[in-house]
Amino acid sequence: MTGLHARRRRRVNAFRYVVFTVFGLFFLLPLLAMIRFSLEGSTGGSWSLSSWGQIASYAGPPPLLSGVEITLELAVITCLVVLALLVPTVIWVRLRVRWMTRLVEALCLLPLTIPAIVLVVGLAPIYRVIRQQFSLSALQLFWVYAVLALPYAYRALAAGLEGVDVKTLSEAARSLGAGWFTVIWRVIVPNMRQGVLNAMLLTGALVLGEFTIAYLLLYTNLQVTLFYVSRGTPNAGVLFSTSSAALLFAFVLLLILSYVGRARGRQSERSKVSK
Amino acid sequence: MAVTTPSEVGAQPVRAGRRPLLSSSRLAWTGTLPFLGYVGVFLLLPTGIVLWDAVHGSSGGFDFGAVSTLWSSSTRSYFVNSAELSAITSVLGAVLGAVLSYAVATGNPEGLIRRLYLAGSGVLAQFGGVTLAFAFLITIGPTSGLLLHAGWFYDFPQGIGLIYVYFQIPLMVLVFLPAMDGLKAQWREATETLGGSAWQFWRYVGGPLLAPAFLGAVLLLFANALSAFATIAAWENQISYVVPQQIGTALSSEVGLSSVNQADVLALGMIAVVAVVMTGYTLLQRRTTRWLR
């Protein structure tokens, strides 16, 4: 019996190594090619870091740094808006209006089924109003980016709230005289930090890679800037250094997320044991 | 006495907190108003605008003339191309992604390989955008490829299809891995104890269990490829092959077109197709949860 298992285990392992190697090559080759090209010097085959230095200095057209700045600012603003909007809602629904759980969940997941390319058609008239009434700045994109981030943020927050005994915590806090604001932001949120952090990481990664809506609403964020650089000078090294940097940044965000998720899992296991 | 006091003190604010406004569950739902309002304005309203504009002429009355252009041969060809590209890349991505999911699922759930593949999948599946087109251009582009100079790089569907598969496989890993993880080792052991071979396990146990999840994932990948715009725009922005590209063109050059609301009509067509696909996905998903998870 154990012989059978050992043999199967060996076969599965051999299969796994082959699969990981083949897929690893398929996924890594384009990325490595991009990085290799970004490190190419002025003559073919040489190595240089100049393309990476150009991320800060590339004057365009269009200037790269402003695209980077806009996108980073958008990431921060979008994170804050998503949290301000979703955290109280998710907790409130859990505490007081459980019958709305399905509705809120459905609304949050809806952006997954309405393609961005469809949404942008309907957004065009709305953004015409925003441009006329409020501001021309590309930062206004946060309104719709928060919607795009809803599915990811909702799932992260809902998972974060799963292990929290919301009812007991809120009753305890209320009985000590806390208002609902204190209950939500100072009692429950600290218990779901990991969920909040996950939501922020995913939202940040999303904003970093967004192109469709910005491009079609005629705003210039990082991806749109890269798009125009590629139209003008398709072989600019800076194109590939910046693209690699953005992808690596998103990858690091999600890798952090995977470790944070584990820390939380362990914590809840511990608390189960102690009970 | 000293024992009872705290409970009395503790109980009072609760009563005090139960002011009619806060405790009345009739009004408690108003706490979700900011959320509902936001989603209403930036998600439901745009969708409504698309649907409304698609069936209204410039005069303001109902006008299904524009919608009927969905059946014109030029528009149909965009949908056919979209369907072709989505079908090929979703099936290919699903099969390859399922193989990769199996390899990931059989490994250590806390291991580094799983972590790297999951984080990498998240980035490539959801946040790649235009970058993926650049990466392939520099790898196999017709003149700039470092690996090879592929003459078919700008051919439809194989050139763009390869790039789509590159983000479809990671998405498959993300959506299919939970189902793979749900496949219990005990089922495999039970099969073996009863003398079943690996083939028999996959044919009679694992395959039927995973089939709904797999088909659902194919549909999800189909919808994903159908709605992708960034990658194909960066790949080729002169010729429109698929619906999203044509929506982009219609949006950015609204003046020159015969009908003003062509973007709305195309978007309506997309909504219809995606709605059908996602309904199928939801039904299969329900079926999946019966055994797995």
Side-chain angles (χ1 to χ4, degrees):
Chain A
M1 201 63 206
T2 46
L4 184 78
H5 272 287
R7 211 172 59 224
R8 188 157 76 79
R9 193 70 233 170
R10 268 202 305 278
R11 267 217 315 268
V12 167
N13 272 338
F15 163 80
R16 292 182 65 224
Y17 292 129
V18 171
V19 168
F20 286 140
T21 313
V22 172
F23 279 95
L25 278 178
F26 176 63
F27 286 123
L28 281 180
L29 273 178
L31 303 179
L32 289 179
M34 201 159 64
I35 293 173
R36 171 67 189 95
F37 193 85
S38 74
L39 290 171
E40 185 134 296
S42 46
T43 56
S46 64
W47 297 77
S48 149
L49 273 172
S50 64
S51 296
W52 287 80
Q54 272 190 308
I55 294 179
S57 65
Y58 188 79
L64 188 58
L65 199 60
S66 69
V68 175
E69 273 171 24
I70 287 282
T71 295
L72 291 180
E73 284 167 24
L74 268 173
V76 173
I77 298 175
T78 309
C79 276
L80 295 178
V81 171
V82 165
L83 291 185
L85 195 64
L86 213 47
V87 168
T89 305
V90 170
I91 296 176
W92 186 253
V93 165
R94 180 75 180 275
L95 272 175
R96 303 297 311 276
V97 271
R98 289 210 103 148
W99 55 271
M100 288 183 81
T101 311
R102 273 290 173 80
L103 174 72
V104 170
E105 179 175 9
L107 285 174
C108 282
L109 298 185
L110 201 55
L112 289 182
T113 52
I114 300 178
I117 186 75
V118 168
L119 200 59
V120 76
V121 177
L123 281 168
I126 296 177
Y127 265 86
R128 218 169 291 145
V129 175
I130 289 180
R131 269 187 238 256
Q132 282 162 5
Q133 303 293 325
F134 298 103
S135 150
L136 292 171
S137 161
L139 290 178
Q140 295 295 326
L141 279 170
F142 82 85
W143 294 105
V144 53
Y145 283 2
V147 167
L148 293 187
L150 279 183
Y152 306 101
Y154 175 81
R155 279 194 289 221
L157 291 177
L161 200 57
E162 200 107 299
V164 183
D165 190 350
V166 181
K167 197 159 177 282
T168 310
L169 283 176
S170 74
E171 276 174 5
R174 298 281 295 153
S175 71
L176 292 170
W180 283 112
F181 183 86
T182 311
V183 169
I184 289 176
W185 290 106
R186 297 188 55 197
V187 177
I188 297 177
V189 167
N191 279 288
M192 52 185 287
R193 297 193 283 279
Q194 259 91 33
V196 171
L197 184 61
N198 285 359
M200 290 174 72
L201 292 172
L202 285 167
T203 306
L206 177 117
V207 174
L208 218 56
E210 210 287 325
F211 169 78
T212 307
I213 289 183
Y215 173 69
L216 290 174
L217 291 179
L218 307 177
Y219 288 115
T220 310
N221 67 0
L222 173 60
Q223 300 289 335
V224 175
T225 309
L226 289 175
F227 175 82
Y228 285 125
V229 171
S230 85
R231 289 299 142 204
T233 39
N235 277 341
V238 69
L239 182 63
F240 300 98
S241 59
T242 317
S243 302
S244 322
L247 271 192
L248 282 175
F249 192 44
F251 177 73
V252 170
L253 288 185
L254 294 206
L255 203 60
I256 294 173
L257 187 144
S258 81
Y259 279 95
V260 169
R262 182 181 61 169
R264 196 187 151 268
R266 272 196 192 152
Q267 203 178 13
S268 63
E269 263 166 45
R270 240 198 339 261
S271 65
K272 257 178 225 156
V273 171
S274 67
K275 272 176 199 165
Chain B
M1 197 59 204
V3 181
T4 55
T5 314
S7 74
E8 274 172 15
V9 171
Q12 228 159 10
V14 175
R15 248 180 273 125
R18 284 189 181 158
R19 291 185 298 265
L21 180 71
L22 282 173
S23 80
S24 151
S25 38
R26 276 208 202 138
L27 285 173
W29 70 274
T30 54
T32 60
L33 269 181
F35 169 77
L36 294 178
Y38 195 99
V39 171
V41 172
F42 288 98
L43 183 61
L44 303 181
L45 180 63
T47 315
I49 289 177
V50 169
L51 300 177
W52 177 266
D53 284 353
V55 296
H56 282 77
S58 43
S59 57
F62 270 97
D63 178 8
F64 290 94
V67 175
S68 66
T69 60
L70 277 177
W71 281 269
S72 73
S73 65
S74 62
T75 310
R76 211 170 45 212
S77 72
Y78 296 123
F79 276 94
V80 169
N81 280 342
S82 266
E84 186 191 6
L85 179 62
S86 306
I88 295 172
T89 62
S90 61
V91 170
L92 215 57
V95 171
L96 294 172
V99 173
L100 183 56
S101 314
Y102 178 70
V104 173
T106 46
N108 174 10
E110 295 279 308
L112 183 67
I113 288 191
R114 185 188 174 101
R115 230 168 263 288
L116 288 177
Y117 265 92
L118 274 183
S121 293
V123 175
L124 296 181
Q126 290 158 329
F127 314 118
V130 295
T131 312
L132 301 186
F134 300 155
F136 272 86
L137 180 70
I138 205 63
T139 313
I140 58 165
T143 55
S144 52
L146 292 179
L147 191 65
L148 60 113
H149 299 286
W152 44 269
F153 181 75
Y154 284 114
D155 291 349
F156 184 91
Q158 57 268 41
I160 186 67
L162 178 68
I163 312 181
Y164 270 39
V165 167
Y166 188 80
F167 66 70
Q168 293 278 51
I169 294 175
L171 183 64
M172 182 66 181
V173 171
L174 291 184
V175 297
F176 197 59
L177 194 59
M180 273 291 184
D181 284 335
L183 212 56
K184 292 194 180 69
Q186 289 90 321
W187 294 336
R188 181 77 194 242
E189 283 159 14
T191 313
E192 278 174 6
T193 316
L194 295 168
S197 63
W199 158 250
Q200 281 170 322
F201 171 76
W202 287 111
R203 170 69 186 78
Y204 296 108
V205 185
L209 278 169
L210 289 175
F214 181 82
L215 290 177
V218 171
L219 289 181
L220 192 74
L221 263 58
F222 186 91
N224 183 49
L226 196 71
S227 37
F229 172 74
T231 309
I232 200 165
W235 172 70
E236 164 64 88
N237 79 335
Q238 303 297 323
I239 311 168
S240 290
Y241 290 101
V242 296
V243 185
Q245 281 177 298
Q246 188 55 24
I247 292 180
T249 310
L251 261 188
S252 40
S253 59
E254 271 191 338
V255 195
L257 290 158
S258 51
S259 71
V260 186
N261 55 356
Q262 204 206 350
D264 297 290
V265 172
L266 288 168
L268 175 72
M270 288 270 297
I271 292 179
V273 178
V274 173
V276 170
V277 171
M278 291 311 286
T279 308
Y281 169 73
T282 314
L283 293 177
L284 285 164
Q285 196 67 21
R286 228 172 262 167
R287 168 101 204 186
T288 308
T289 47
R290 203 183 291 175
W291 279 98
L292 299 169
R293 169 182 329 200

